[in-house]
Amino acid sequence: MKEFKVTPIRNGTVIDHIDCGMALKVLRIIGVSSNNVSSPISVLMHVPSKKEGFKDVVKVEDRELDPKEVDKISLISPDATINIIRDFNVAEKYKVTLPQVVRGIVRCGNPSCITNLNEPVEPEFSVESKKPPVLRCIYCDRILDDTAEHLI
Amino acid sequence: MEFKGLDIVSIRDLTREQIEFVLDLSEKMIPYARGEKFTKMLEGRILANLFFEPSTRTRMSFETAMARLGGRTLEMSHPSMMSIAKGETLADTIRMVESYSDAIVLRHPHEGAARLAAKFSRSPVINAGDGAGQHPTQTLLDLFTIRRDKQHIEGIKVALVGDLKYGRTAHSLAEALTLFGAEVTFVAPASLQMPRETVKQVEKLGGKPKLTSKLEEVIKDIDVLYVTRIQRERFPDPSEYLKVAGSYRIDNTLLREAKQNLTVMHPLPRVDEIAPEVDYTQHAKYFEQAFNGVPVRMALLSLVLGGEL
């Protein structure tokens, strides 16, 4: 008999193929720490992946992600897939894709960068490499070292 | 080649052809920069000089350049006296200043300030140094000085010595020299050596940079020695500073080992990296280099403001 560690969800989003160890950061991206969560969220960490090695999975019930959240996930886990579930069926399935320009979702790591001051601009980065994600600040020209730590 | 209205934020924004165009025009500006010929090509034009950090050479040479072209300069009084001190954003300052002037020169303590200013200003913005970031007009005048002195840049062996980690002039110069086919060597103690990112960028442009901490190993082979200031405040231990600073002091004893036509450059101000005795040798080109800031900035101002000789 097949054993389910987590039961299928009726409506919501399954974020699959998250890089191992990144599930908690995905939770932070989708705002689980705030008080706006009313439906269950399941987190699977370090589960065997058919593709290779291990992966993390996050299931969010009764919620579909907005594009900004998907962009953020692509920054910390470029191989993740998003499955939109409606009435127990996969209604949509797609891989996250990192855009060419990343705007307003991550802060520059250079404390002396003008975007970290009180200026009316969104931080903006050009994506120099997608795998692994390498971001260069279009203002101060620095490469961002730890993307996950600088998510807005 | 169209330059009118162009922002000059980083040397990377310019192609090799554009840089050569600026250097060619700078050559033509020399008699005007010396006051031997006169022009009023920018008569009626106003340049805003916004210096949020102290500067002697850059600020004065922009002012001189604008005056030699027949234009005028708006100087900002001390930033602490202005609305910035009241908490105004740079974006707002720029929007106000651009309505008073035709072009803006900006020096600011924060990296990326010039890019931000360019975003908010319809008039061209010239970066005169943004924190530890870019200083493109310095790079242009350095290239101009080498080209004037050696007639070409390709194949020239250049050693950059001193604080290569924090010195903003060193990074963009290393890249620009490689773009022009010069061979670069980085001479610095390990703690102040060229950042990995710049070394990678030089390699990406086809260069094969050499890294060493010993100046005496390379002094015999090089054509240009580019000296930068080692800043005392970078060293927590003063004795460590003295040891490092002392090991890169350029004097006539060291230069005896060098090629006869070795060019010694320095963006200035110097402290004691170059002994005053060197000033009287044919190697010393740093005061000429400082003068070259005028024709190069004249060329840039005339181009972005659409003036013609």
Side-chain angles (χ1 to χ4, degrees):
Chain A
M1 198 180 84
K2 197 168 181 186
E3 182 199 342
F4 285 105
K5 286 200 174 75
V6 177
T7 52
I9 61 175
R10 177 187 284 274
N11 291 306
T13 308
V14 176
I15 309 158
D16 201 357
H17 298 289
I18 300 169
D19 286 6
C20 229
M22 287 293 178
L24 296 179
K25 285 185 173 138
V26 170
L27 290 184
R28 208 165 75 192
I29 290 171
I30 59 179
V32 168
S33 54
S34 22
N35 300 326
N36 56 358
V37 182
S38 48
S39 299
I41 291 173
S42 327
V43 179
L44 289 87
M45 294 182 82
H46 210 262
V47 291
S49 166
K50 275 185 206 155
K51 283 186 188 165
E52 60 174 309
F54 293 89
K55 64 179 181 179
D56 289 359
V57 182
V58 170
K59 296 184 176 193
V60 194
E61 290 185 38
D62 302 321
R63 165 125 186 246
E64 292 181 14
L65 303 184
D66 72 40
K68 247 189 180 174
E69 290 171 323
V70 176
D71 283 350
K72 285 187 192 176
I73 293 170
S74 72
L75 280 177
I76 60 160
S77 213
D79 288 323
T81 55
I82 309 287
N83 302 274
I84 309 286
I85 312 293
R86 289 179 196 137
D87 206 15
F88 292 112
N89 289 315
V90 179
E92 278 178 55
K93 178 174 182 164
Y94 57 91
K95 256 190 97 165
V96 297
T97 48
L98 191 53
Q100 280 300 330
V101 175
V102 168
R103 199 176 291 123
I105 56 172
V106 60
R107 212 182 301 283
C108 183
N110 170 12
S112 185
C113 177
I114 194 80
T115 58
N116 284 322
L117 270 74
N118 188 28
E119 293 291 339
V121 285
E122 280 189 322
E124 196 174 324
F125 297 82
S126 59
V127 177
E128 297 221 326
S129 138
K130 294 201 172 190
K131 249 178 159 187
V134 176
L135 306 188
R136 186 185 287 279
C137 173
I138 69 139
Y139 289 94
C140 75
D141 216 32
R142 299 275 181 91
I143 299 278
L144 187 63
D145 273 337
D146 187 350
T147 309
E149 278 309 303
H150 294 98
L151 286 168
I152 295 173
Chain B
M1 206 170 274
E2 189 56 47
F3 277 88
K4 199 176 171 192
L6 197 73
D7 301 307
I8 311 289
V9 174
S10 160
I11 196 78
R12 282 190 197 162
D13 297 345
L14 300 174
T15 61
R16 180 174 170 164
E17 289 69 32
Q18 283 175 313
I19 294 174
E20 274 171 348
F21 193 83
V22 174
L23 302 188
D24 289 344
L25 184 59
S26 307
E27 194 70 49
K28 291 184 191 136
M29 289 292 181
I30 283 190
Y32 298 92
R34 286 196 181 124
E36 294 159 4
K37 282 187 182 177
F38 301 96
T39 171
K40 290 210 176 289
M41 71 158 80
L42 294 185
E43 191 173 20
R45 301 305 195 92
I46 297 171
L47 175 71
N49 245 352
L50 290 188
F51 280 74
F52 292 88
E53 264 192 340
S55 159
T56 312
R57 266 155 301 280
T58 309
R59 190 176 56 76
M60 285 179 73
S61 66
F62 266 112
E63 202 176 338
T64 305
M66 196 60 184
R68 295 278 197 209
L69 294 168
R72 298 195 59 179
T73 307
L74 271 185
E75 286 288 336
M76 181 169 77
S77 58
H78 198 273
S80 63
M81 311 280 282
M82 291 191 41
S83 44
I84 298 106
K86 298 171 192 157
E88 186 179 53
T89 61
L90 177 63
D92 279 3
T93 306
I94 293 294
R95 283 190 276 215
M96 178 265 298
V97 170
E98 70 137 14
S99 66
Y100 300 159
S101 59
D102 302 302
I104 297 171
V105 169
L106 176 72
R107 169 165 296 184
H108 197 276
H110 289 280
E111 285 105 78
R115 187 73 69 196
L116 179 134
K119 219 167 183 148
F120 284 92
S121 169
R122 280 162 298 176
S123 321
V125 171
I126 300 177
N127 186 3
D130 56 345
Q134 299 287 325
H135 192 0
T137 61
Q138 179 71 47
T139 309
L140 288 170
L141 77 90
D142 291 340
L143 291 174
F144 183 63
T145 304
I146 296 173
R147 202 181 76 162
R148 283 211 93 207
D149 202 50
K150 305 289 184 200
Q151 279 74 54
H152 59 98
I153 301 174
E154 196 160 352
I156 293 282
K157 291 182 179 161
V158 184
L160 285 87
V161 60
D163 176 1
L164 305 183
K165 187 173 182 189
Y166 301 101
R168 65 179 155 206
T169 53
H171 308 167
S172 33
L173 181 61
E175 288 182 28
L177 283 168
T178 310
L179 185 70
F180 277 82
E183 293 174 34
V184 289
T185 301
F186 304 139
V187 187
S191 59
L192 293 178
Q193 192 45 278
M194 195 59 100
R196 208 159 40 99
E197 209 184 304
T198 309
V199 175
K200 264 197 199 157
Q201 187 63 25
V202 165
E203 286 169 346
K204 215 164 122 187
L205 290 165
K208 291 188 184 110
K210 281 181 225 137
L211 280 79
T212 175
S213 62
K214 295 192 172 68
L215 182 55
E216 55 279 11
E217 271 179 13
V218 297
I219 190 77
K220 287 192 188 83
D221 298 323
I222 52 175
D223 304 301
V224 175
L225 180 61
Y226 192 98
V227 189
T228 63
R229 187 161 60 96
I230 294 183
Q231 295 173 55
R232 193 183 285 265
E233 57 271 25
R234 306 283 183 213
F235 292 82
D237 180 355
S239 65
E240 203 49 37
Y241 163 76
L242 289 173
K243 213 162 77 190
V244 169
S247 63
Y248 297 113
R249 193 174 147 85
I250 316 300
D251 57 20
N252 286 349
T253 314
L254 177 84
L255 292 175
R256 246 176 252 143
E257 305 288 315
K259 284 184 184 173
Q260 281 229 314
N261 63 350
L262 170 79
T263 300
V264 179
M265 294 169 66
H266 192 300
L268 304 177
R270 65 172 156 174
V271 183
D272 46 14
E273 307 84 49
I274 303 177
E277 63 186 20
V278 179
D279 301 357
Y280 304 100
T281 68
Q282 58 188 3
H283 301 298
K285 291 284 151 60
Y286 26 91
F287 294 117
E288 208 172 304
Q289 184 186 357
F291 162 74
N292 286 339
V294 179
V296 167
R297 288 173 177 127
M298 285 173 77
L300 269 184
L301 288 172
S302 71
L303 286 170
V304 300
L305 287 168
E308 270 176 43
L309 258 186

